[in-house]
Amino acid sequence: YYRRSWSSESSDSVISSESGNNCYRVVLIGEHGVGKSSLANIFAGVHDSIDSDCEVLGEDTYERTLMVDGESATIILLDMWDNKREGEWIRDHCMQVGEAYLIVYSITDRASFEKASELRIQLRRARQKEDIPIILVGNKSDLVRCREVSVAEGRACAVVFDCKFIETSAAVQHNVKELFEGIVRQVRLRRDSKEK
Ligand code: GDP
Ligand code: MG
C-alpha cells in the first residue's frame, strides 16, 4: 500500500506540474428544484464550511481546490443545467463537457428520482464508450417527514446504473463535503487504472 501511494503521488506531481491533470470538470444535472444550486453554493463557500477559497468563473461555474486523501484536486463545477435563457443547446453541452457528473434528485420528490434515471440513460447514450464517474445524489435528506424515495431505492438504482450513491442535505450541510471528495476519488480511481 505504501509503495502504491508513493508511486502514484510522485507520478501525479509530474503530471500536475506539466498538464494540470488533477483538475476535473464536474457537472450538476437533475430536475429543477432538487437543490443543485444549493449544493453548488456550499461548494463555492457561500456559507463557508469548506476551508479554501473558491473562484467564481462565471455565473454558474465555480472552481475550488480541495485536499482529498493528501493530494490536492481542483474541481470546476458547472451548474448550468437549468439555465433556460441560453436555450436547449446548454443541455447537450452539459452532456458533452463533463469529466464527472452529479445526478441530483430530491428524496421528497419521486418524479425527480425517475428523472434521474432518465438522465443516466441519456448520459450513457451521449458518451457511449466512456466510463464516466457518476454519483447519484439524493438531496434534502433533512426532510425526513416528506421522504418519498427510500435510501434502499436510491442505492439499488445506483447499482443498476453502475454509479456511486450518497444522500445529502444542502440545508443542514450534511454529506456535502463527502460528495465532492467522493467525485474526486471516483475520477482518480479511473485515472489510476488507466495508468497501469
Ligand atoms: P435547483 O433548481 O436544483 O438549483 O435547486 P435549488 O438549489 O435552487 O433549491 C430549490 C429549493 O430547495 C430552494 O428553496 C432550496 O432552499 C431548497 N433546498 C435545496 N436543498 C435543500 C435541502 O437539502 N434541504 C431542504 N430542506 N431544502 C433544500
Ligand atoms: Mg439552480
Side-chain angles (χ1 to χ4, degrees):
Y1 173 73
Y2 175 77
R3 182 174 272 265
R4 209 187 65 194
S5 69
W6 177 82
S7 66
S8 81
E9 260 173 36
S10 68
S11 68
D12 195 63
S13 64
V14 172
I15 291 164
S16 60
S17 61
E18 281 175 7
S19 62
N21 222 20
N22 57 350
C23 180
Y24 313 122
R25 203 180 307 104
V26 177
V27 179
L28 281 160
I29 62 177
E31 193 141 282
H32 183 71
V34 296
K36 299 182 298 300
S37 298
S38 303
L39 292 167
N41 283 337
I42 294 173
F43 173 79
V46 169
H47 313 281
D48 209 24
S49 81
I50 312 175
D51 51 352
S52 92
D53 24 23
C54 171
E55 203 177 328
V56 179
L57 300 176
E59 196 187 347
D60 33 31
T61 305
Y62 310 90
E63 180 183 323
R64 174 162 221 168
T65 300
L66 309 172
M67 282 300 281
V68 181
D69 305 327
E71 194 184 333
S72 76
T74 300
I75 292 180
I76 296 173
L77 185 68
L78 306 187
D79 175 33
M80 51 186 63
W81 186 249
D82 288 329
N83 191 341
K84 289 271 169 54
R85 262 178 307 141
E86 300 284 346
E88 274 303 311
W89 72 271
I90 201 99
R91 299 211 157 171
D92 295 329
H93 177 72
C94 283
M95 284 293 185
Q96 294 302 330
V97 299
E99 289 165 277
Y101 288 83
L102 306 176
I103 304 183
V104 187
Y105 66 92
S106 165
I107 65 142
T108 66
D109 177 6
R110 178 160 291 278
S112 73
F113 179 61
E114 277 151 20
K115 184 70 189 178
S117 298
E118 252 174 65
L119 292 173
R120 174 67 183 101
I121 292 164
Q122 275 181 41
L123 193 54
R124 180 176 283 161
R125 213 173 278 146
R127 308 281 293 274
Q128 270 173 24
K129 299 214 171 84
E130 297 167 72
D131 177 24
I132 301 172
I134 298 172
I135 300 182
L136 179 65
V137 184
N139 188 45
K140 308 199 185 184
S141 64
D142 58 294
L143 297 177
V144 283
R145 285 159 179 269
C146 308
R147 182 184 281 276
E148 289 183 3
V149 183
S150 71
V151 178
E153 283 176 290
R155 204 174 281 143
C157 184
V159 170
V160 170
F161 289 124
D162 191 25
C163 66
K164 288 284 168 185
F165 172 68
I166 192 169
E167 280 199 354
T168 58
S169 167
V172 302
Q173 299 200 16
H174 179 249
N175 265 354
V176 179
K177 189 163 170 277
E178 289 76 4
L179 169 62
F180 291 105
E181 290 172 352
I183 201 67
V184 168
R185 291 194 182 103
Q186 287 307 302
V187 177
R188 282 182 184 163
L189 275 173
R190 284 162 178 81
R191 176 199 66 188
D192 293 346
S193 67
K194 264 184 211 150
E195 276 173 10
K196 266 172 214 151

